[in-house]
Amino acid sequence: MTPQERIAELRAAITQYDYKYYVHNESDIPDAVYDALMDELRLLEQQNPAYADPHSPTQSIEVPLDNTFAKVKHPQPMLSLGNGMYEAEVDAFRDRVTKGLGTHDVAWVVEPKIDGLAIALTYENGTLVLAATRGDGETGEDVTSNIKTIKTIPWTLRPNGATPIPRRLEVRGEVYIPSAEFDELNARLTAAGEKTAANPRNAASGSLRQKDPRITASRPLHFFAYSIGPVDGQWPDTQWGTLQALRAFGFAVNDDARWFATYAEAMAYATQWMTKRDVLAYEVDGAVLKVDSLAQQRELGVAGRDPRWALAYKFPAREATSILKNIIVSVGRTGNITPAAEIAPVQLSGVTVSNASLHNADLIKKLDLRIGDTVNLKRSGDVIPYIIGPVLEKRNGTEQPWQMPTHCPSCGTALVREGEEVAWRCPNVVGCLEQRKRRIEYAVSREALDIVGFGEKQAALLVDRGLIHDVADIFALEGDDFVGLEGFGKTKITKLIEAIAAAKQQPVNRVLISLGITLVGTTVSQLLMQRFGSVAALAEATAADIAAIERVGPGIAQSVTEFFAIAENRTLIDKLTAAGVQTSGGAAREATSSALANMVFVVTGSFVGMSREQAEALIAEHGGKTTGSVSKKTTAVLAGAEPGANKTSKANELDIPIIDEAALRRMIAGESAHQEGN
Ligand code: IVH
């Protein structure tokens, strides 16, 4: 292929992606791939100036607009931003700036790069008369009625002492949706059976381009002002002054923006600020460095569609490639065997990761993951990274297929898998040391007995020494038992013994949690103890008695009766009672989420991270109900892999939304985020 042909090919492809992205808010390819194509085109154009074309996507984005909104020609083009991933690229930008200006006397403003969409707001004599999207930078769309529904955008400029209200002023900034509100919105859309958005930016863009402003009004849109277009009147002569003036006129201006006298300080701030990405309430894709003086900005001018006076210092990608070194399995409290990936250490959104989750053996098989594979990883928010899949082109034949062990890595018992469960389990409930450790860890955790100073390490040490076998043994521990054990000084021992004694006062519902009965967590244990009053009474109850409690289903009833059918578990209750732990006395109220209150779910199919029972318990934990069949009263059908055809077709017939596990978790998370805000 000649350079000319490749240039034509790249231009056609990029134009198509731009159209999809800017008009339909969709992207067919990852940002990194788009950037790479654009870089290749830029380089080829540089090397072959004969093929320069003002209509090349490197010069402008040519995007046909939809006809739904009136077109608005921007009096001054809305620019884009050049970007750099590495410090060296930002340093090179600084060099261009100082060279272009012929001086090192440059002050800087650093601002977050908000991942939303750019808007231009025109105010005449202080009144909002027009709001336009960026569009292709030259022509946007009139979205005034929709913009007026955004509460952080003033309809009239607030008069202030510092700057008189200009006769005409164009304010520019970013419309965005905060991450938590995005999750809530998607949960709402799911519950209503509507299409969800892939990310907050698409959601913001889609919300703004609604034909009915009432729909826009119901969307959690926010706005940060960061610059101005044409102004007819007095205006500060710096970017920093611009931000202050915008704030004074009543706009939201990002609090993390800062002014710096030197480039070194600006870069130090940008670099340090970038580590905050995951704790910000909204999505950011980097920091923007801007020359502060507007006169210097004008002097530097524009190259193509990027200003020469600003650069986006972009975040490291949230996706990475590494080598799968090994797959290790761990044993959980209920005997579940979970595989996890050990990978060659790799940088992923700013941190080094060497472990990734794999969920279950079926997934490993489905992905055909082999030890030694090059794998793609993803990490979003602060959750553990997970493996997307192997890079097949990188295989050289030395990769080893992985086999799920057939026996427990701790006690050697043959693993089992029951019914529809995806997880393999070690059935040696009483004898398996790992299970014992996990159970004790769980019993002393914050949700259960809450023994401070007792955790994974202490549980492992004491079980290995044979000092404790079950949760009741904890209460027989004496100071002398710890003497000589690694990590136990005198004060530590005294404190721990005190914490153990204090745990005897925990209410019975917490004691019930500490038993580690499958599906019996915070909410269910309260319901059970409100009804039965004591663990002994619960042990005598029939499955029908238990299932008759509102919000407790047959799955929980079965789990509880199975637990008490084991003689050792009954002995455990006697031991706890004898140790002075409260095994009766009724439940104490604890705060739980009511995210799913008044909602009725039907659960069908199998899930990746949990069993169907666990899904039902999760719903109950958050105040929801589950039933066996779909009816008009059903809020949503929670469908896993291979859902029951009857249930899904009935749901479709009745127009009841079918949601997946992720959507359920968003519904739960959305509500708890909401509660925190209250
Ligand atoms: S300055 C003349 N400042 O990023 C420079 N843009 O990639 C263009 N953006 O279209 C505007 N936060 O939608 C600027 N603090 C910020 C920004 C920001 C987000 C967006 C904006 C622009 C895009 C360019």
Side-chain angles (χ1 to χ4, degrees):
M1 196 182 291
T2 64
Q4 189 181 9
E5 284 165 349
R6 180 65 182 155
I7 287 173
E9 187 176 86
L10 286 167
R11 283 178 184 162
I14 292 169
T15 307
Q16 185 57 26
Y17 293 133
D18 281 345
Y19 171 76
K20 268 286 195 71
Y21 182 82
Y22 290 103
V23 178
H24 295 294
N25 317 313
E26 285 168 8
S27 43
D28 293 337
I29 48 167
D31 286 358
V33 177
Y34 177 90
D35 291 346
L37 295 178
M38 199 63 145
D39 287 346
E40 185 188 347
L41 178 58
R42 244 185 236 118
L43 185 71
L44 283 171
E45 287 179 344
Q46 257 170 35
Q47 292 167 344
N48 303 278
Y51 304 130
D53 180 348
H55 298 294
S56 166
T58 56
Q59 302 305 307
S60 63
I61 314 171
E62 295 225 30
V63 183
L65 295 162
D66 280 357
N67 291 324
T68 358
F69 296 94
K71 286 177 194 173
V72 178
K73 176 123 180 72
H74 298 300
Q76 195 176 295
M78 289 182 78
L79 300 174
S80 177
L81 279 173
N83 64 64
M85 278 280 290
Y86 302 99
E87 207 172 325
E89 296 173 82
V90 192
D91 288 347
F93 155 73
R94 183 266 327 261
D95 292 343
R96 289 196 298 276
V97 167
T98 46
K99 202 171 154 222
L101 293 172
T103 175
H104 289 268
D105 194 8
V106 181
W108 299 87
V109 172
V110 177
E111 298 169 18
K113 187 170 185 310
I114 312 293
D115 199 9
L117 67 146
I119 286 289
L121 308 166
T122 307
Y123 289 82
E124 275 175 6
N125 299 314
T127 303
L128 177 63
V129 292
L130 176 71
T133 61
R134 176 175 183 278
D136 61 5
E138 299 290 334
T139 310
E141 291 175 321
D142 181 344
V143 287
T144 314
S145 356
N146 286 343
I147 279 290
K148 282 187 165 174
T149 68
I150 302 179
K151 290 173 199 67
T152 37
I153 294 182
W155 287 29
T156 53
L157 299 180
R158 204 168 50 177
N160 63 84
T163 318
I165 288 181
R167 286 172 292 283
R168 204 180 158 85
L169 169 71
E170 188 183 308
V171 173
R172 293 179 176 183
E174 200 83 352
V175 169
Y176 68 99
I177 292 183
S179 320
E181 291 173 67
F182 166 72
D183 291 341
E184 240 174 71
L185 171 65
N186 261 355
R188 229 165 67 203
L189 291 174
T190 307
E194 286 172 41
K195 218 177 129 193
T196 56
N199 56 51
R201 186 189 51 224
N202 290 2
S205 173
S207 299
L208 209 50
R209 297 176 83 262
Q210 293 290 327
K211 285 174 203 147
D212 182 352
R214 283 170 303 183
I215 299 183
T216 309
S218 75
R219 300 292 172 82
L221 293 167
H222 295 249
F223 178 74
F224 276 132
Y226 53 64
S227 72
I228 60 162
V231 53
D232 179 7
Q234 196 182 312
W235 196 259
D237 55 7
T238 59
Q239 171 61 16
W240 188 244
T242 297
L243 294 180
Q244 306 317 314
L246 289 172
R247 191 177 269 133
F249 278 133
F251 291 95
V253 170
N254 196 286
D255 282 332
D256 287 339
R258 294 280 186 287
W259 180 91
F260 297 98
T262 67
Y263 171 78
E265 289 169 289
M267 260 317 259
Y269 175 72
T271 312
Q272 167 260 316
W273 178 82
M274 303 268 253
T275 60
K276 278 184 33 180
R277 177 187 209 176
D278 290 335
V279 300
L280 292 172
Y282 40 82
E283 288 282 330
V284 283
D285 45 9
V288 190
L289 274 87
K290 297 179 181 174
V291 169
D292 186 38
S293 155
L294 301 191
Q296 288 184 333
Q297 289 188 4
R298 281 189 293 273
E299 198 179 329
L300 287 163
V302 175
R305 62 189 201 200
D306 302 337
R308 287 203 180 90
W309 45 266
L311 188 83
Y313 181 20
K314 295 262 267 191
F315 283 123
R318 288 175 186 263
E319 287 185 23
T321 302
S322 183
I323 306 288
L324 178 61
K325 295 204 311 197
N326 202 2
I327 294 175
I328 40 169
V329 295
S330 60
V331 186
R333 160 170 72 83
T334 54
N336 276 358
I337 309 289
T338 320
E342 265 181 20
I343 52 169
V346 63
Q347 283 288 114
L348 197 51
S349 41
V351 297
T352 309
V353 299
S354 47
N355 293 296
S357 62
L358 282 168
H359 302 298
N360 60 55
D362 285 357
L363 190 73
I364 299 171
K365 215 185 227 166
K366 209 167 119 192
L367 294 174
D368 184 25
L369 277 179
R370 304 182 188 177
I371 310 294
D373 259 339
T374 301
V375 289
N376 285 323
L377 303 160
K378 194 179 167 85
R379 176 174 177 268
S380 44
D382 50 5
V383 295
I384 308 165
Y386 60 91
I387 289 187
I388 304 172
V391 184
L392 296 176
E393 307 85 79
K394 289 277 171 85
R395 286 218 172 130
N396 61 13
T398 59
E399 298 78 13
Q400 292 300 315
W402 180 79
Q403 285 299 326
M404 178 73 184
T406 51
H407 291 76
C408 175
S410 170
C411 66
T413 306
L415 300 179
V416 297
R417 172 139 99 156
E418 284 146 14
E420 280 191 54
E421 304 252 322
V422 280
W424 288 90
R425 219 164 50 74
C426 165
N428 182 13
V429 178
V430 180
C432 178
L433 280 195
E434 277 302 304
Q435 287 192 51
R436 235 184 242 175
K437 290 177 193 171
R438 296 286 99 75
R439 275 201 297 275
I440 286 168
E441 254 171 72
Y442 179 77
V444 298
S445 69
R446 199 134 51 107
E447 294 72 37
L449 294 174
D450 193 15
I451 305 182
V452 180
F454 203 137
E456 184 181 343
K457 223 176 95 193
Q458 289 73 17
L461 208 60
L462 294 167
V463 169
D464 283 339
R465 295 285 166 121
L467 286 167
I468 52 176
H469 303 91
D470 58 38
V471 46
D473 289 338
I474 293 172
F475 296 96
L477 286 170
E478 287 172 2
D480 287 351
D481 291 331
F482 296 96
V483 176
L485 288 188
E486 197 196 318
F488 284 96
K490 217 172 155 199
T491 15
K492 216 170 191 176
I493 297 174
T494 316
K495 278 198 176 151
L496 190 56
I497 294 294
E498 274 170 19
I500 291 171
K504 290 183 188 171
Q505 302 311 315
Q506 291 286 17
V508 64
N509 48 307
R510 279 176 171 265
V511 176
L512 180 60
I513 300 175
S514 80
L515 299 178
I517 306 172
T518 309
L519 307 184
V520 180
T522 306
T523 308
V524 174
S525 65
Q526 270 191 71
L527 294 171
L528 293 175
M529 286 303 98
Q530 274 160 16
R531 164 73 176 80
F532 295 104
S534 74
V535 184
L538 177 65
E540 296 308 320
T542 65
D545 287 341
I546 299 169
I549 304 173
E550 194 176 352
R551 286 164 59 185
V552 176
I556 293 167
Q558 191 187 338
S559 169
V560 171
T561 46
E562 276 174 6
F563 179 86
F564 288 111
I566 298 171
E568 282 91 345
N569 289 336
R570 286 176 173 257
T571 321
L572 178 61
I573 310 306
D574 295 338
K575 257 173 95 176
L576 280 168
T577 313
V581 175
Q582 302 204 53
T583 53
S584 63
R589 282 217 160 268
E590 313 249 354
T592 51
S593 149
S594 54
L596 308 178
N598 303 322
M599 299 188 195
V600 184
F601 295 84
V602 172
V603 183
T604 176
S606 55
F607 300 87
V608 179
M610 57 183 180
S611 66
R612 199 145 88 196
E613 306 265 74
Q614 282 168 325
E616 289 177 356
L618 184 68
I619 291 168
E621 292 262 336
H622 295 279
K625 267 196 217 173
T626 49
T627 58
S629 58
V630 181
S631 75
K632 275 192 308 212
K633 289 188 190 147
T634 309
T635 313
V637 172
L638 175 65
E642 291 167 31
N646 285 342
K647 289 177 180 154
T648 50
S649 62
K650 184 86 184 171
N652 284 330
E653 191 183 305
L654 295 173
D655 243 359
I656 285 163
I658 299 171
I659 64 170
D660 63 4
E661 182 183 335
L664 178 74
R665 292 195 186 275
R666 280 197 296 271
M667 289 170 80
I668 292 168
E671 171 68 16
S672 38
H674 182 74
Q675 282 180 341
E676 273 164 27
N678 284 339

